[in-house]
Amino acid sequence: MWRLYQFPLCPFSRKVRLLLSEKGVGYELWRENPWDPSDGLWRLNAAGRTPVLEDSAKGIVLADSRAICEYFEETVDRAAMINGTAANRAEIRRLVALFDENFHGDVVAPLLHERMKKRLVLRQPPDSRVLREAMKLAHEHLEYIDWLVDTRAWLGGSTMSLADLAAAAQISVADYLGGIDWTGHEQSRGWYAVFKSRPSFRPLLTERMEVIQPPVHYAKVDG
Amino acid sequence: MWRLYQFPLCPFSRKVRLLLSEKGVGYELWRENPWDPSDGLWRLNAAGRTPVLEDSAKGIVLADSRAICEYFEETVDRAAMINGTAANRAEIRRLVALFDENFHGDVVAPLLHERMKKRLVLRQPPDSRVLREAMKLAHEHLEYIDWLVDTRAWLGGSTMSLADLAAAAQISVADYLGGIDWTGHEQSRGWYAVFKSRPSFRPLLTERMEVIQPPVHYAKVDG
């Protein structure tokens, strides 16, 4: 049985969870706090962060969310998520990197700092200037997703792919933290609503991170 | 013919250049400045950064260094760089992420800001506190590489892999900017010296970034 080291608002763990669920791979959750990684997590991952996936019976440890996704793409045929020609696959991986790095760095990382770490650890109020900037950049990213949805059946091409999972994972954390204003983004909202209704996504949407509550629309399929 | 959008001290472009050279894929260089990406670069890559690889005759555009490396791993058999079992391949990709994200974020990004951007764009002196912290973290990363070299033939396993290229690319930029003190890191130094002598690496070591000069040992094979 795989054990996933994660915390509820880790967008990279969410991407892995979506992939495992779509592929029908079972796992148990093991909680880590990103502001205080355990010695055990450091031993398993020199980067000291989630997600890490461990099968202690088989002696396999996987770290880094993209490496984990590639591993299951190579070993589990069901629900292929990096599909098509080499050029199609490069396009999917480009988008995964865009969401993992740019959407995360511009939007999710500042929201997690201001609305999670400051509340739970630093005991400081959020900086409204930083929040405004993150929401402004979220708006720009949603415009790009609107364009992708206008252009293609799914974000990465003609079928659902890891690009969709990566985007939904980041957006879901930003939405939980009140950083997404869907106004004017009907295409992105429609794509995300389809995604929210998937069985792989439902368990994520019902989890809560201690005292931090999401907005009312967060877990609603038509929200 | 592929055109690579890059700048001389972009470690991600360096990783791609090492891979293309090892695989025998020809390309031409196209200069971009990271502090002022051209409209053309933005059109090719929504992330607005190097490296981007374009074959305009075939209408192919590849962006994101890991997506680019996976593309050539899939399409060019020569010099396989993501080798072995699924677990071996996951280990190589974990290390690539460690060097791309942690080594870069801890060491290379602050050095580029302090010693390149402040000199060429902001016209400010470097912050010696930031430089000291980057060099301290470089020391910790080199300790980890020492351990890998003690444990394995190459960083990612029994053969040279993308993990070695990713590490060498980041280290070479840090070394150019005077951020690497090899004292006490004989294993890492030995591994890197082997790497510096490879034909794929020589052209990179002779390039210079405008007025910024590397230390004397930088391009020496026995440096």
Side-chain angles (χ1 to χ4, degrees):
Chain A
M1 178 73 147
W2 293 101
R3 169 180 287 179
L4 179 67
Y5 295 78
Q6 58 87 50
F7 66 98
L9 293 181
C10 171
F12 304 102
S13 303
R14 287 183 169 220
K15 178 178 64 178
V16 168
R17 293 176 69 180
L18 291 171
L19 183 88
L20 293 176
S21 179
E22 293 287 342
K23 287 187 174 288
V25 177
Y27 61 93
E28 61 175 21
L29 296 176
W30 187 269
R31 171 66 185 264
E32 287 284 338
N33 286 325
W35 53 83
D36 182 26
S38 69
D39 291 347
L41 188 72
W42 278 110
R43 269 194 299 277
L44 294 173
N45 182 11
R49 63 170 169 249
T50 55
V52 173
L53 206 57
E54 180 186 31
D55 184 333
S56 52
K58 292 188 185 154
I60 302 179
V61 177
L62 306 172
D64 176 66
S65 71
R66 273 181 257 177
I68 292 170
C69 292
E70 296 276 354
Y71 176 88
F72 287 100
E73 187 68 8
E74 292 180 358
T75 56
V76 180
D77 285 339
R78 179 176 159 183
M81 289 287 165
I82 308 175
N83 297 306
T85 65
N88 295 146
R89 293 159 63 86
E91 174 65 359
I92 291 165
R93 292 186 177 111
R94 173 186 77 82
L95 288 168
V96 171
L98 186 72
F99 300 125
D100 280 3
E101 295 172 20
N102 295 57
F103 194 100
H104 184 262
D106 290 343
V107 180
V108 179
L111 286 168
L112 283 169
H113 185 78
E114 297 299 325
R115 292 221 161 121
M116 181 185 74
K117 190 169 179 187
K118 281 193 172 175
R119 174 135 186 209
L120 298 180
V121 188
L122 304 175
R123 310 284 171 181
Q124 295 169 356
D127 182 330
S128 58
R129 195 189 48 80
V130 173
L131 292 176
R132 268 199 308 275
E133 177 66 14
M135 291 186 72
K136 186 174 85 70
L137 292 172
H139 173 71
E140 292 177 15
H141 282 284
L142 289 177
E143 280 197 340
Y144 187 68
I145 294 172
D146 289 341
W147 177 80
L148 290 173
V149 172
D150 273 343
T151 315
R152 305 163 171 185
W154 294 86
L155 301 192
S158 58
T159 59
M160 190 173 75
S161 77
L162 193 59
D164 298 281
L165 308 190
Q170 296 290 338
I171 287 172
S172 70
V173 175
D175 197 31
Y176 188 109
L177 295 168
I180 300 287
D181 176 1
W182 294 102
T183 311
H185 299 290
E186 293 312 313
Q187 297 98 320
S188 296
R189 189 209 291 258
W191 160 83
Y192 188 60
V194 171
F195 224 86
K196 277 167 114 175
S197 66
R198 294 187 76 82
S200 61
F201 212 176
R202 298 305 305 159
L204 294 181
L205 294 173
T206 59
E207 284 182 21
R208 295 292 175 265
M209 181 93 188
E210 285 100 33
V211 296
I212 305 169
Q213 291 304 317
V216 175
H217 71 256
Y218 166 73
K220 286 190 184 161
V221 167
D222 57 352
Chain B
M1 178 73 149
W2 292 100
R3 170 180 288 179
L4 179 67
Y5 295 77
Q6 56 88 50
F7 65 99
L9 293 181
C10 171
F12 304 102
S13 302
R14 286 183 170 220
K15 178 178 65 177
V16 168
R17 292 176 69 180
L18 290 171
L19 183 89
L20 293 176
S21 179
E22 292 286 342
K23 287 187 174 288
V25 177
Y27 61 93
E28 61 174 21
L29 296 176
W30 187 270
R31 172 67 184 267
E32 286 285 338
N33 286 325
W35 53 83
D36 183 25
S38 68
D39 290 347
L41 188 72
W42 279 110
R43 268 194 301 277
L44 293 173
N45 182 11
R49 64 172 168 246
T50 56
V52 172
L53 206 57
E54 180 186 31
D55 184 333
S56 53
K58 291 188 184 153
I60 302 179
V61 177
L62 307 172
D64 176 66
S65 70
R66 274 182 258 176
I68 293 170
C69 291
E70 296 276 353
Y71 176 89
F72 286 100
E73 187 68 8
E74 292 181 359
T75 56
V76 180
D77 287 338
R78 179 174 158 184
M81 288 287 165
I82 308 175
N83 297 307
T85 66
N88 295 146
R89 293 159 63 87
E91 174 65 359
I92 291 165
R93 291 187 178 109
R94 174 186 76 82
L95 288 168
V96 171
L98 185 73
F99 300 125
D100 279 3
E101 295 174 19
N102 296 57
F103 194 99
H104 184 261
D106 291 343
V107 181
V108 179
L111 286 168
L112 282 170
H113 185 78
E114 297 299 326
R115 291 220 162 121
M116 181 185 74
K117 192 170 178 186
K118 280 193 172 174
R119 174 133 186 213
L120 298 181
V121 187
L122 305 174
R123 310 285 171 179
Q124 294 170 359
D127 182 331
S128 58
R129 194 188 49 80
V130 174
L131 291 176
R132 269 198 307 276
E133 177 66 13
M135 292 186 72
K136 186 173 87 68
L137 293 172
H139 174 72
E140 292 176 17
H141 281 284
L142 289 178
E143 280 196 341
Y144 186 69
I145 294 173
D146 290 340
W147 175 80
L148 290 173
V149 172
D150 273 344
T151 314
R152 305 163 172 186
W154 293 87
L155 300 191
S158 58
T159 57
M160 190 174 75
S161 77
L162 193 59
D164 298 280
L165 308 190
Q170 296 290 337
I171 288 172
S172 70
V173 175
D175 197 31
Y176 189 108
L177 296 169
I180 300 288
D181 176 2
W182 293 103
T183 311
H185 299 291
E186 294 311 315
Q187 298 98 320
S188 295
R189 189 209 293 259
W191 161 81
Y192 188 59
V194 170
F195 224 86
K196 277 167 112 175
S197 67
R198 293 188 75 82
S200 62
F201 213 176
R202 297 305 305 161
L204 294 181
L205 294 172
T206 57
E207 283 181 20
R208 296 293 175 265
M209 181 91 187
E210 283 100 34
V211 296
I212 304 169
Q213 290 304 318
V216 175
H217 71 255
Y218 166 73
K220 285 190 184 161
V221 168
D222 58 352

